[in-house]
Amino acid sequence: MVQITNTPAPAPPAPTRSVPTSADVARLAGVSRATVSYVLNNAGAVRISEPTRRRVREAAKELGYVPHAAARSLRAGHSRTVLMPAPAFPVGPLYSQFINDLQSALAGLDYTVVQYGTVGLHDDEAARAWAELRPVAVLVPGSGLSPRGVEVLKRSGARAVVTLGPEPVDGAHTLLMDHDVVGHSAGAHLFDRGRRRIGVVVPREPGLEAFSAPRLAGVRAALRGTDATVTELPLAHDEGAAARLAARWRELGLDAVFTYNDEYAMLLMRALQDEGVRIPEETAVIGADNLMLGRLLRPRLSTVHLELPSGRELAGLVDRAVRDPATAPGAHKVLGASVIRRESS
């Protein structure tokens, strides 16, 4: 005997909800599609009453409509996307705050900021990958762009290429962030405090060489021609590494240390105090970046305050270059430094 079981037919797939269009927004708001475009693209050259603008925005929100970036780019002849490759070096709180301020300022100028991961990409290969997204501007942190890469980006439609690093790049607007001024400020401060056997922490973490090398050079420059000595101290950002360095501190005979930044200062100060090294009596300590946590340490941490350009200033530079791409690229020094003296030095 064969038993037949009636299996219910599978339910039909739910109908796909259609993507709302500007025509849908126009119908709901009772305006033309051109008006929808003017309002949602923030066209300032066209006068539209505030009640109409509000009605269009409310209709777009109700329908879940957002403008199509690619279509808008085709109409305008360029995108409003600013590409920011993710830095290849570890970033601290100061740099993160700087980038957040910059992104906010660019958004206020109606740019869309996109961060691009750079893992596995280098030099011109990275530039070609960025160019595929057709950004109107590219902001490159560090020194990972060549003149050839700048040309690739410009040929793809980038109106502004801005680099933030220690060296100018041909064809790009360069914001020179030469970190020797940071080390020079720290070295001069320690010398003025009567210290003559000065250690300088050099992080072992990859990617930080572009910052640590000029900071070390700055300390050496500040002490050149004096009776002070400089000792390079490679250090990983790790409790064990700091403890091992602190264990041989008295053998090194140092009476001061510039710790590269405040984060390494906190790490090393704790290890030195665990070894019974008195700060600042035996060893003066100064960091950099002026982080709030440094003020909570005991003794409070002396530091070098970095004077960076504001996000609004840099966003303005990008906007001017986009509006007038014929502007000749230039290099501008934008990093300043000043010592904030506290109890640790």
Side-chain angles (χ1 to χ4, degrees):
M1 179 178 179
V2 178
Q3 184 175 1
I4 299 176
T5 303
N6 291 325
T7 303
T16 303
R17 187 175 180 180
S18 60
V19 177
T21 66
S22 61
D24 298 327
V25 176
R27 277 193 295 272
L28 183 59
V31 299
S32 67
R33 290 184 66 181
T35 299
V36 171
S37 177
Y38 293 144
V39 171
L40 298 184
N41 290 320
N42 295 316
V46 180
R47 296 186 63 181
I48 299 174
S49 69
E50 188 54 37
T52 299
R53 289 181 180 274
R54 188 162 52 249
R55 199 161 66 247
V56 169
R57 293 191 187 104
E58 289 173 353
K61 183 177 180 180
E62 180 178 336
L63 294 171
Y65 171 79
V66 292
H68 196 296
R72 181 170 64 174
S73 299
L74 286 173
R75 290 193 298 271
H78 60 83
S79 75
R80 298 292 292 178
T81 299
V82 175
L83 187 70
M84 294 183 64
F89 49 85
V91 298
L94 184 68
Y95 185 85
S96 297
Q97 183 59 52
F98 169 66
I99 293 300
N100 288 340
D101 291 345
L102 173 58
Q103 290 178 325
S104 177
L106 286 168
L109 294 173
D110 195 33
Y111 291 98
T112 299
V113 180
V114 175
Q115 287 209 336
Y116 192 105
T118 56
V119 176
L121 298 176
H122 303 284
D123 302 327
D124 296 345
E125 179 187 6
R128 285 191 290 272
W130 305 336
E132 290 179 4
L133 299 179
R134 297 296 189 268
V136 73
V138 181
L139 273 66
V140 185
S143 54
L145 187 65
S146 69
R148 188 188 193 106
V150 174
E151 185 62 26
V152 167
L153 289 167
K154 288 187 173 181
R155 286 186 177 180
S156 73
R159 296 189 170 198
V161 179
V162 181
T163 62
L164 296 88
E167 299 290 339
V169 179
D170 288 345
H173 297 273
T174 303
L175 302 182
L176 291 173
M177 306 181 81
D178 194 347
H179 284 254
D180 64 347
V181 67
V182 181
H184 195 285
S185 299
H189 170 72
L190 293 173
F191 185 83
D192 290 344
R193 300 301 298 157
R195 308 295 170 150
R196 295 298 182 266
R197 301 180 306 280
I198 298 171
V200 178
V201 167
V202 178
R204 290 187 179 275
E205 280 64 36
L208 293 179
E209 300 87 352
F211 307 101
S212 62
R215 292 187 184 193
L216 173 60
V219 175
R220 294 191 190 279
L223 303 178
R224 191 171 294 124
T226 73
D227 59 344
T229 60
V230 176
T231 301
E232 186 174 341
L233 302 171
L235 178 64
H237 197 262
D238 170 81
E239 284 185 89
R244 289 189 291 273
L245 177 57
R248 60 188 184 92
W249 195 259
R250 290 191 172 93
E251 296 175 18
L252 294 169
L254 302 176
D255 63 5
V257 60
F258 168 49
T259 59
Y260 173 72
N261 70 10
D262 290 354
E263 292 176 301
Y264 284 86
M266 298 173 203
L267 181 73
L268 185 56
M269 276 182 63
R270 181 71 270 168
L272 290 173
Q273 289 169 331
D274 286 347
E275 284 291 324
V277 176
R278 292 174 298 133
I279 299 171
E281 292 83 1
E282 292 182 72
T283 299
V285 179
I286 184 170
D289 291 353
N290 192 24
L291 300 184
M292 184 187 72
L293 286 175
R295 299 195 292 274
L296 304 180
L297 295 179
R298 294 296 181 272
R300 291 179 176 85
L301 178 64
S302 295
T303 189
V304 179
H305 174 71
L306 274 60
E307 298 159 6
L308 294 167
S310 71
R312 181 173 296 181
E313 289 173 315
L314 182 49
L317 169 65
V318 172
D319 189 50
R320 289 191 298 274
V322 168
R323 293 174 184 273
D324 185 10
T327 302
H332 311 277
K333 283 194 173 184
V334 297
L335 183 63
S338 58
V339 171
I340 297 179
R341 176 185 164 189
R342 300 193 183 106
E343 291 94 333
S344 70
S345 65

